[in-house]
Amino acid sequence: MRELFHQSLEEVQDRLVQISELVTVAIEKATRAFGTSDVALAEEVIESDSVIDHRATALDELAIEILARQQPVARDLRIVVAALRVSASLERMGDIAEHIAQLTRMRFPERAIPKGLKSTFTKMGDLDVEVARTLTELLRTGELTLVETLRTLDDRIDDLHLSVFEKVLGENWQGEAGATVDATLASRYHERFADHALSVAKKMAYLATGDWKPDTDTIAVIAAEQGAENIAAGGAPQV
């Protein structure tokens, strides 16, 4: 029974990674469609969101079944509860990718990116894709150094998000009302995507430390311990 229980926990982790991979594909396509006004690509993102939703729901059902049948305690309980919360964040990240794609479709054949902001949104899109890829690797390996990587990426996106608002509120902004709304919405979507990823990263840090708000030094110590275990075992330790 114990072996079956741990197989179920491994399946939870595998499914989280699979959902994160789907989210990565969605944000890659959504940001590319947004930057190039590729409405066909945007439609792909919109249609595929139901797959992410279905996978997240199936994972939640598995986690609830584990809680009901196995009644886990201590760290095992934290893993299952955290998986439910991570699943919700990943599903929301998929929704945000869909929202970006919907902006592209709504403005087609015009460009959704207002004049003067193309380079900013290109950077935000590239960073969000990097966030998604880093998060997938964190979920796959549990390597805590990636938590700090995600913090740094989130800070960079926050700075770009602020620069968009400074641009559209500045005296030199000449965009029409629709362009202003598009810019603020798109910027918010990119910023929130990274926020949800960071929220997941914090939950992974909690699983490793038992602290919801571990400081940087604590994470660094555990990450170093993980590295030592990895060298000894020849593989990446799981959180």
Side-chain angles (χ1 to χ4, degrees), residues 85-103:
R85 299 180 67 177
V86 169
S87 172
S89 291
L90 290 173
E91 189 271 336
R92 184 58 185 148
M93 290 169 73
D95 287 344
I96 291 172
E98 181 188 18
H99 294 336
I100 294 172
Q102 287 172 336
L103 274 178

Side-chain angles (χ1 to χ4, degrees), residues 16 60 63 78-91 196 199-200 203 206 212:
L16 285 174
D60 291 348
R78 294 201 302 269
I79 291 173
V80 178
V81 172
L84 286 167
R85 299 180 67 177
V86 169
S87 172
S89 291
L90 290 173
E91 189 271 336
H196 280 289
S199 176
V200 172
K203 293 176 180 63
Y206 164 72
W212 280 112

Side-chain angles (χ1 to χ4, degrees), residues 99-146:
H99 294 336
I100 294 172
Q102 287 172 336
L103 274 178
T104 303
R105 183 176 66 178
M106 182 174 64
R107 292 304 175 193
F108 184 80
E110 302 295 327
R111 285 187 177 273
I113 300 179
K115 291 181 180 179
L117 288 171
K118 182 174 178 57
S119 63
T120 299
F121 278 109
T122 297
K123 292 175 184 176
M124 292 183 84
D126 289 345
L127 286 170
D128 269 347
V129 171
E130 188 175 352
V131 162
R133 290 173 178 170
T134 303
L135 181 61
T136 300
E137 187 65 14
L138 173 60
L139 290 171
R140 180 182 291 112
T141 66
E143 185 179 339
L144 286 192
T145 55
L146 298 175

Side-chain angles (χ1 to χ4, degrees), residues 11 13-23 55 136:
E11 183 176 354
Q13 180 185 9
D14 290 343
R15 290 195 187 188
L16 285 174
V17 172
Q18 291 167 9
I19 297 170
S20 189
E21 289 172 341
L22 291 173
V23 169
R55 293 287 186 90
T136 300

Side-chain angles (χ1 to χ4, degrees), residues 78 82 201-214 239:
R78 294 201 302 269
K202 289 177 180 177
K203 293 176 180 63
M204 295 297 287
Y206 164 72
L207 287 177
T209 66
D211 187 349
W212 280 112
K213 294 183 179 180
V239 171

Side-chain angles (χ1 to χ4, degrees), residues 10-77:
E10 289 175 2
E11 183 176 354
V12 166
Q13 180 185 9
D14 290 343
R15 290 195 187 188
L16 285 174
V17 172
Q18 291 167 9
I19 297 170
S20 189
E21 289 172 341
L22 291 173
V23 169
T24 301
V25 172
I27 195 64
E28 287 175 339
K29 289 183 176 181
T31 54
R32 189 161 74 248
F34 188 68
T36 61
S37 297
D38 188 335
V39 71
L41 194 59
E43 291 288 359
E44 287 183 21
V45 177
I46 294 167
E47 292 176 4
S48 66
D49 184 61
S50 61
V51 177
I52 295 174
D53 292 345
H54 176 73
R55 293 287 186 90
T57 299
L59 173 59
D60 291 348
E61 291 174 350
L62 173 60
I64 292 170
E65 182 180 346
I66 292 172
L67 288 173
R69 292 188 176 185
Q70 303 294 340
Q71 298 182 350
V73 296
R75 186 176 185 277
D76 291 339
L77 177 60

